[in-house]
Amino acid sequence: MQGVEVVGLYVRDQDEALAFYVGKLGFRVHTDVKNGDYRWLTVQHPDQPSFQLGLFYPGAPMLDSATAETLRALVAKGAMPPLVLTVDDCRAAYAKMNAHGVEFTQEPVDRFGTVDAGFRDPSGNGWKMIQARRRAGGAE
Amino acid sequence: MGTGQDPELLRRLLRAKDRMDAASDEEWPVRRLASVSGVSEAHFARSFKDAFGVPPHRYLLTRRIERAKTLLRDTDLPVTEVAFDTGWSSLGTFGRVFRDITGESPGELRGRERAAPHARDHVPACYLSAAHRPDLTIAVSEKRRRVAGPRIPANETTETEV
């Protein structure tokens, strides 16, 4: 199969991110390998075995300290690109995640023919959580 | 960049920004925002401006005006209702700030959007809507058909949504 295999996020702390994505969102660890100071950590949605979400710390040895500091500030300011999580039932997912202490930035709202909510990971990465449409179309 | 602000502080300031985004029609005195961020009232406004480039009050006004613009474009609500729905208690203040930020009056914006309907192709303003653009609700699809404007790819949608 060809396609995108890994897309990474910058996170402020990989242990914290792991606890969040696995413990609160229900992802699974795909790869967690250390090589010196560098840690390659990816998680996977249980329904999406062909895709890995990387949880990477911006720092040495990949980045110089000034660049790393800039990136950590950008992540903390919520300036990283949008992320979208598709769920079958947005309100049910919201209730469950909220009970786990996920920081929601927007409660579920009906609009555009579906339901969406917004949350952030501990680092500041912003997610939209959108309820999948019942109608199977070419839009996905 | 180079603000030199501690990422941990920035993360907490982001929380105040998120809260304003989620409820821009509400009142957000510095005391309330500072408490969301866990920052002293004395330091909040400066820290926020250093982080996001505008003072918190200005940021809130901008968000309210963004929402008002969307309502003026996408609904038939009277201007008075748009003003009250977006958190203004005075129509006069709304009109003045609206003109200050957008360069035109609410009525002018609405008139212009209707006279030049292609301009509304960048709304609804949300990467959510952009991600699902082919599946918009009936009402919006109808508007879109009426407008008969070209679709834009998701990555050209520039506004962010609350």
Side-chain angles (χ1 to χ4, degrees), chain A residues 113 120 122 128 130 133 135, chain B residues 11 18 127-128 132 135 137:
Chain A
R120 288 195 190 279
K128 278 282 177 189
I130 305 178
R133 284 146 206 283
R135 180 159 56 89
Chain B
R11 182 67 182 87
D18 281 342
Y127 66 78
L128 156 72
H132 280 248
D135 266 334
T137 60

Side-chain angles (χ1 to χ4, degrees), chain A residues 7-31:
Chain A
V7 173
L9 303 180
Y10 280 131
V11 298
R12 66 183 181 184
D13 179 305
Q14 288 177 300
D15 289 330
E16 177 188 62
L18 184 62
F20 177 82
Y21 283 96
V22 173
K24 296 187 176 180
L25 297 199
F27 284 57
R28 296 172 185 154
V29 176
H30 181 280
T31 306

Side-chain angles (χ1 to χ4, degrees), chain B residues 48-125:
Chain B
F48 188 95
K49 183 169 188 291
D50 286 349
F52 300 114
V54 286
H57 182 62
R58 186 76 188 173
Y59 180 75
L60 179 64
L61 297 187
T62 307
R63 291 313 308 239
R64 286 181 175 183
I65 296 301
E66 274 178 37
R67 269 202 69 221
K69 282 168 69 177
T70 303
L71 291 174
L72 289 165
R73 266 191 307 243
D74 298 350
T75 74
D76 293 319
L77 287 176
V79 172
T80 313
E81 260 183 70
V82 169
F84 294 149
D85 282 359
T86 53
W88 309 86
S89 52
S90 147
L91 191 57
T93 308
F94 169 65
R96 184 167 49 73
V97 176
F98 192 96
R99 177 181 284 280
D100 187 27
I101 288 178
T102 69
E104 60 192 340
S105 74
E108 282 165 357
L109 178 127
R110 178 171 264 173
R112 185 172 55 73
E113 290 289 345
R114 288 184 180 172
H118 287 268
R120 71 179 298 288
D121 252 355
H122 65 294
V123 295

Side-chain angles (χ1 to χ4, degrees), chain A residues 73-74 76-77, chain B residues 1-6 9-11 13-14 17 39 42-59:
Chain A
L74 288 172
K77 289 204 278 188
Chain B
M1 287 279 310
T3 61
Q5 284 175 293
D6 172 22
L9 168 65
L10 292 170
R11 182 67 182 87
L13 293 169
L14 174 63
K17 184 164 170 274
V39 177
H43 289 114
F44 178 80
R46 166 46 70 97
S47 300
F48 188 95
K49 183 169 188 291
D50 286 349
F52 300 114
V54 286
H57 182 62
R58 186 76 188 173
Y59 180 75

Side-chain angles (χ1 to χ4, degrees), chain A residues 71-127:
Chain A
L71 283 168
R72 288 196 287 269
L74 288 172
V75 172
K77 289 204 278 188
M80 299 311 265
L83 300 158
V84 178
L85 183 69
T86 299
V87 293
D88 288 334
D89 183 335
C90 186
R91 289 199 166 77
Y94 167 82
K96 193 172 158 191
M97 289 159 62
N98 202 33
H100 278 111
V102 172
E103 178 181 345
F104 275 87
T105 51
Q106 179 215 301
E107 293 181 3
V109 172
D110 284 278
R111 58 181 163 191
F112 310 122
T114 182
V115 187
D116 71 271
F119 65 91
R120 288 195 190 279
D121 75 7
S123 302
N125 292 297
W127 286 85

